Amino acid sequence: MNSTHATTRSTIHDDVEEILVTGDQIAERVAQLGAQLEADYAGRDPVLVSVLKGSIIFLADLIRAMQSTLSLDLMEVSSYGASTESSGQVRILKDLSRPIEGRDVIVVEDIIDTGLTLNYLLKYLHDKGPASIRVVCLLDKPARRLAEIPIDYRGFTIPDRFVVGYGLDYDERYRNLPYIGVLKPSVYGAASPEG
Ligand code: IMP
């Protein structure tokens, strides 16, 4: 054994103050959502449109909870403004790779906070002439909602806290936490994550 290996190596878990949703709770809920979508979209070959990057882990687990035929598309958007505040002005960095005209679209989102990003995106997708659009989100944070969003399937409703893990980041870190947690204030330094 190499004596230079420290016995107390710090990990991303050390920065977590509180776990809001455990990995087991996520797995159970995602399985339920997948089964519900599978039943609701039986025989309809939906296209799941997800938004990079925060949604990818949810998307990956959700589609493996669905045994029916489906396809995927990915978009990437950036909202102008501070990193933890959504301005509602959205720039599309990566567009759909295939037309969605006449398709049944399921938008897969990690978290809906103000709703401004999704509000823009839903209008954008509507203009492309899909047969239907529904929204599935893992986390709903209704306290700061500014745009009314029809959420058809939701994993969990959470309080007004800035959360990380299971795809969600703070400054591109902590996406690989297997649960949804809140960071210790010390991680943010003097600045508040809520802007
Ligand atoms: P909205 O436009 O305010 O609904 O923000 C949507 C996007 O902001 C989400 O897709 C996330 O990328 C990000 N976001 C909002 N709240 C959180 C949070 O608590 N943790 C990490 N990212 C968040």
Side-chain angles (χ1 to χ4, degrees), residues 157-179:
T157 300
I158 61 164
D160 187 10
R161 314 276 302 270
F162 189 82
V163 293
V164 294
Y166 198 70
L168 289 163
D169 73 306
Y170 171 64
D171 202 15
E172 292 299 328
R173 302 291 201 282
Y174 307 104
R175 294 191 194 276
N176 51 328
L177 284 171
Y179 47 76

Side-chain angles (χ1 to χ4, degrees), residues 7 18 24 28 49 51 62 68 81 84-85 90 93 96 99 103 105-106 122 129-131 149 152 157-158 160 185:
T7 49
E18 189 186 341
D24 284 348
E28 189 183 344
V49 173
V51 186
L62 185 67
S68 46
T84 59
E85 288 285 346
V90 175
L93 302 178
L96 296 168
R103 300 290 305 273
V105 172
I106 305 172
L122 286 174
I149 298 289
D152 302 284
T157 300
I158 61 164
D160 187 10

Side-chain angles (χ1 to χ4, degrees), residues 94-170:
K94 186 210 169 296
D95 206 342
L96 296 168
S97 58
R98 291 213 187 173
I100 54 168
E101 191 176 352
R103 300 290 305 273
D104 289 307
V105 172
I106 305 172
V107 177
V108 180
E109 260 285 24
D110 49 2
I111 185 166
I112 302 177
D113 184 14
T114 64
L116 294 174
T117 307
L118 196 52
N119 191 45
Y120 175 91
L121 208 62
L122 286 174
K123 286 196 185 108
Y124 180 83
L125 294 173
H126 264 296
D127 287 347
K128 303 211 171 279
S132 69
I133 302 185
R134 283 188 185 168
V135 173
V136 52
C137 74
L138 180 70
L139 302 174
D140 180 14
K141 196 158 66 167
R144 304 194 325 145
R145 193 64 37 83
L146 295 175
E148 203 180 313
I149 298 289
I151 303 176
D152 302 284
Y153 307 88
R154 82 166 49 67
F156 302 93
T157 300
I158 61 164
D160 187 10
R161 314 276 302 270
F162 189 82
V163 293
V164 294
Y166 198 70
L168 289 163
D169 73 306
Y170 171 64

